[in-house]
Amino acid sequence: MEDKFKNLESIFAAIERPLIFASKNNFSSLLNIKGIEELIPSLVEKALSFISSNKARNSLITLEQDFKGYHNLTHDKKKELIKAALLTINRIDISQNNKPIKKEAPIKNTSFLESIHMLSTPVDKIKGVGPKISEALKRMNINNIEDLLYLIPRNYIDRRRIKKISQVNSGEHVTIIGRVMSISSRAFAGRNKLFEILISDGSQNLSAKWFRINDKYKNLLKKRFKEGTEVILSGTISNFRYQKEVHHPEIDIFAGDDTIESKLKILPVYPLTEGIHQKNMQKIMEFTVINFCKFIPDVMPDNIKEKNGLIPLATAFQHVHFPGTEDDIDRLFEMQSEYHRRIVFDEFFMLQTVLALRKKGMAIEPGISFKIHQDKINKFLKTLPFSLTNAQQRSVDDIFTDMKKPYPMNRLIQGDVGSGKTVVCLIACFCAKLNGYQSAIMAPTEILAEQHLKTIACLTDKLKINVVLLTSSQPKAQKDAALVKIKNGESDIIIGTHALIQEGVDFKNLGFAVIDEQHKFGVMQRAEIKRKGENPDVLVMTATPIPRTLGLTVYGDLDISIINELPPGRKPIKTKVLHENRREDVYRIISQELEKKRQAFIVYPLVEESEKIDLLDATNMAAHLQKDIFPGYKVGLVHGRMKGAEKDAIMNKFKEGRINILVSTTVVEVGIDVPNASLIIIEHAERFGLSQLHQLRGRVGRGSADSMCILLAQYKKSDEAKQRLTVMSKTNDGFKIAEEDFNIRGPGEFLGTRQSGLPDFRVAHIGRDIKILVDARKSAFDLIDRDPELTNPEHQLLKRLLFERWKGRLELAGIG
């Protein structure tokens, strides 16, 4: 058989023979022939040993997988597959692919496909999982065997150290062996029920108690535990009326053939949901680990495993679920064991390889090589009413370096509130105009888009630059006029919201795109704006400083510039946390600022009074402040429910000084620049997130006067809220605040939504596992530097697994 297929031509002939015969006979002979699902895939495996072209290999791998499910297809689908197979074979150039290439044994590819198939087995096929447990698992997003294996224990019970009851102390987590002396249950007022087992080991007695127990579980315990039964019990000791007790312990019975040694082990404790008990979960996991761990594909290259001291992936899963008696319990508790490390490294490595491929893919895409007209840019800089800071100039230099390259820019600029990101992106837009290209600036809200329009129009009024606005709420005539200017090239800089990426928006020549406040947009929006031009350069900006960990993950495919310097004359804002009993002091501080001809913001969390939440609201408080507290001054009100024109009129009056106190909701979080405002009061400050508090504080401190932010909070607040207010009072540094915010809230909540691009890590935690993340990133980027398209035979399984799990992200990057 082996001698029969010495070249690609003979293999293709063997594939084509039955397919051509079937097509000539109106497909009647082949449609139901047995063995076709084994014949074609086995021949394709042989063909793959000759094919070096990625495109041809991917076509054949698809063909191989399609034929494996041949007998599940309908009659018409079988006919379509046969036709497609013939077309695929005819498209491959045999002359370019007729020499055997070194590759791993076909058995490994087959076992890879088998592994993927086995791991996708639904949970209801597992022993011990009935319909109710299956539904409960689905509520935990566990749908198949792979999901189960990644549900690692949240804790462990160490049963290896047995103690006598007389030796244990309150607060200790211990394991005890004893005999059941008595069993009792009783009910208390409020329907609370207690079930109690008294246990003795000869040295003393111990009471095991279960509170708020339902009848079903109580009857189950009664049935299992009889007087005289020998048990092993683990839990945390407490004292009640001089009696040692343990609440809701892990308890097990010695069966007739059990030995003490068989029970002295480390037990996993899993996350649960209603409808699943810990014992059930442990049995399900034991069956799953024993039978399916071997199918976990370990595709990481051997040299990377060796360099990073990584154990086999299957071993890691076996031990993370059911540790050996010699394993270090402290490392397991802390999720720092070598087993946890291997699984975490694997998750990070897969993500980082995708990011490296995306970055490399961007680097080989054709883009626009802009000419930097430095003399004209210098003239433009002289028209600005200020000089660039060193940090701004560094960012401009980074951007120009990227713009000169013949492939698309993908850069993130992060700068604190008021650091001057807008002027940096304007300089880049001006450079694009000098090269004959349009620029687009996409903002997350209409207020921010309008603020960009005003700022940029003001800075370019002496130049021949046409700036237009495009938002969803524009009147139809205004929007149509903007669309015409965008299409015929009259507009140089187009500023807008997500309306810029809608159908019907056609740019004449988009060469440069800016996405402001990146954390409000996702990967898809970045891809959409790119499609509006011929691979335009993309600059991403954010005033929410990115913690280092997120810079390595969500934004790991971008180059990063940091503007960490405020413009000259800006003074740090003094921040105080005060409580309700100091309200009169706060009003006195406002009066002092108003007497100095300064202005103040007062921000509330609600627009109107709520029946459900006892909070002060902007509408009622504006009326109260005007009538009762500051009758001699003008109080204005602005909130998100107002129409744009009404809102703008109020804002302009405040900016012009005709309003002394602006009462608002968080609509002033971004886009408001009033240099004369020196004071901001944030009511119910405990209700706001750190990032939001920092953005609101940034509304003041924009002039030469000393500025203050007062966080007026309620006494009753969560520990997390106390942490946030403490951080705000200690620092003005947005980067430190972002790190603290990230630590307090965690990565998912920090970014807000799933569309932000944060990957769904099942074991890894980008805060806790930063060192592993750095190591995995280096290994992944080094690998892609050596093998940019993963064409080496030893990297084929890695490539196939990446496409299996990350296909969408790779397609976004245009990687085939």
Side-chain angles (χ1 to χ4, degrees), residues 425-471:
C425 88
L426 172 59
I427 294 165
C429 294
F430 182 61
C431 177
K433 175 191 162 46
L434 294 175
N435 282 264
Y437 287 94
Q438 292 171 301
S439 298
I441 300 174
M442 187 163 74
T445 65
E446 296 197 4
I447 287 181
L448 192 51
E450 287 161 8
Q451 180 67 30
H452 281 320
L453 178 72
K454 288 170 188 170
T455 303
I456 287 172
C458 180
L459 294 173
T460 58
D461 63 344
K462 294 177 184 175
L463 302 164
K464 292 179 181 177
I465 294 178
N466 191 301
V467 185
V468 300
L469 180 71
L470 185 70
T471 66

Side-chain angles (χ1 to χ4, degrees), residues 675-703:
N676 193 48
S678 60
L679 178 64
I680 184 164
I681 315 295
I682 303 173
E683 294 266 10
H684 292 287
E686 77 282 354
R687 309 276 306 185
F688 295 93
L690 252 180
S691 171
Q692 204 170 30
L693 287 171
H694 182 60
Q695 293 287 333
L696 287 167
R697 178 169 60 183
R699 296 310 99 213
V700 297
R702 292 170 170 257

Side-chain angles (χ1 to χ4, degrees), residues 34 46 124 313 333 355 374 514 542 696 702 723:
K34 289 184 178 177
K46 295 179 189 301
D124 57 13
L313 197 54
F333 276 140
L355 293 174
Q374 197 61 58
V514 180
T542 178
L696 287 167
R702 292 170 170 257
Q723 273 182 280

Side-chain angles (χ1 to χ4, degrees), residues 98 127 198 237 275 294 331 370 531 533-534 569 736 793:
N98 219 3
K127 183 180 176 182
L198 190 67
I237 300 295
K294 60 191 173 191
R331 304 291 287 170
F370 290 93
R531 291 193 190 107
E534 293 294 323
K736 285 181 184 171

Side-chain angles (χ1 to χ4, degrees), residues 110-126 141-151 285 287-299 313-314 317-318 321 343 346 350 762 797 800-801 804-805:
T110 305
S111 67
F112 170 79
L113 294 171
E114 183 190 356
S115 296
I116 296 297
H117 175 70
M118 292 303 289
L119 293 174
S120 62
T121 303
V123 286
D124 57 13
K125 305 292 183 194
I126 297 168
N141 289 322
I142 296 168
N143 300 295
N144 56 37
I145 283 168
E146 184 178 0
D147 294 337
L148 261 181
L149 288 170
Y150 274 93
L151 182 76
M285 293 306 303
F287 177 84
T288 304
V289 169
I290 289 169
N291 291 283
F292 294 99
C293 254
K294 60 191 173 191
F295 293 110
I296 296 169
D298 194 346
V299 299
L313 197 54
F317 274 100
Q318 284 161 5
H321 285 289
I343 298 167
D346 208 69
M350 294 299 164
R762 293 182 282 192
L797 293 185
R800 288 171 76 172
L801 187 65
E804 191 75 33
R805 292 185 179 162

Side-chain angles (χ1 to χ4, degrees), residues 510-523:
L510 181 65
F512 188 77
V514 180
I515 299 174
D516 195 14
E517 293 305 328
Q518 159 71 18
H519 68 290
K520 301 277 177 75
F521 294 108
V523 179

Side-chain angles (χ1 to χ4, degrees), residues 15 22 62 217:
I15 294 173
T62 302
Y217 192 42

Side-chain angles (χ1 to χ4, degrees), residues 34 72 102 159 234 305 341 456 461 574 581 623 676 778-779 802:
K34 289 184 178 177
N72 295 323
K102 184 184 175 185
R159 278 189 175 175
S234 299
K305 284 189 277 194
R341 182 172 178 271
I456 287 172
D461 63 344
K574 189 176 180 181
N581 65 338
N676 193 48
K778 185 176 188 316
S779 294
L802 287 173

